[in-house]
Amino acid sequence: MRYWLMKSEPDVFSIDNLKNSPRRTAHWDGVRNYLARNLIRDQMRDGDLAFFYHSSCATPGITGIMEIIGAAHPDPTAWDPNSPYFDPKSSATAPRWYMVDVRLRQVFKNSVTLTELRKYPQLEQMPLLRRGNRLSVMPVTPQEWDFIEKLAE
DNA sequence: GCCAACGTTGGC
DNA sequence: GCCAACGTTGGC
C-alpha cells in the first residue's frame, strides 16, 4: 500500500464537498499535469491512502484522509467542451488524462497547516514543502505519513 | 494583488 | 532540440 498527498482548492472542491458526496466518494478529476497523471495512472492502487490538502486558501494545510477506490480510469472532463478541464487533444478513444475515485476516511479535528508542517525536520524532504513545487499529487513516505497523523491527533 | 517558480507551447 | 514567451500555481 502506498501513501499520497493530493491538493485541491477548497473553493473548487473541499473536504466538506467530499464529505457531502454520495457514499463520501467522488472522482478526483481535473489533474492536468503529466507527472501527476503518471503517478495516478501508474502508481496508485485500490486501497492506497491519501492526505487531502487544501491549497490556495486562507490556511493551506492537510485536512483529512481519503482512500483510493479502484484503479485509475480516463478523466471524461477532458473531452467535455463545457468543462473547465477540457482538453481538445484528449478523446474517449485516446484518453490523455486519468483520474481515480476517492472516498473520505477521516476529517481531521484540527487540520495540520502548512505553517506547522514546515516546523519539522522530519518533513522537510516532502515535495510539498520544497520551494516552487507545484505538483498536485505526490507520494508520502510511511514515516512522513505516521508523523503527520500524530500531528493531527 | 503580487510575484517566484515552474510547465507547456511553438517558432526556428 | 533549443529556448523565449506565456500561462498557471500557490503562498503570502
Side-chain angles (χ1 to χ4, degrees), chain A residues 1-7 26-29 31 33 35-52 66-73 98-103 135-140 145:
Chain A
M1 207 226 348
R2 291 188 165 112
Y3 297 106
W4 305 96
L5 181 145
M6 300 168 81
K7 297 181 187 172
H27 300 307
W28 198 268
D29 57 18
V31 173
N33 169 282
L35 183 49
R37 179 207 61 185
N38 293 347
L39 291 171
I40 286 173
R41 188 189 58 187
D42 306 333
Q43 304 292 327
M44 280 191 174
R45 296 288 180 270
D46 183 54
D48 285 357
L49 296 179
F51 287 132
F52 194 128
M66 52 195 173
E67 179 180 354
I68 307 303
I69 303 298
H73 47 108
Y98 284 76
M99 64 185 186
V100 286
D101 296 348
V102 295
R103 181 186 299 145
L135 201 57
S136 66
V137 174
M138 67 188 77
V140 174
W145 183 274

Side-chain angles (χ1 to χ4, degrees), chain A residues 117-126 129 141 143-145 147-148:
Chain A
L117 292 169
R118 289 196 190 284
K119 288 180 185 170
Y120 303 101
Q122 294 93 324
L123 302 178
E124 66 188 10
Q125 298 302 316
M126 293 183 78
L129 307 180
T141 69
Q143 292 78 14
E144 291 160 351
W145 183 274
F147 190 85
I148 292 167

Side-chain angles (χ1 to χ4, degrees), chain A residues 2 21 30 49 75 90 128 131 151-152:
Chain A
R2 291 188 165 112
S21 298
L49 296 179
D75 179 351
S90 187
L128 179 74
R131 209 160 84 110
L151 292 179

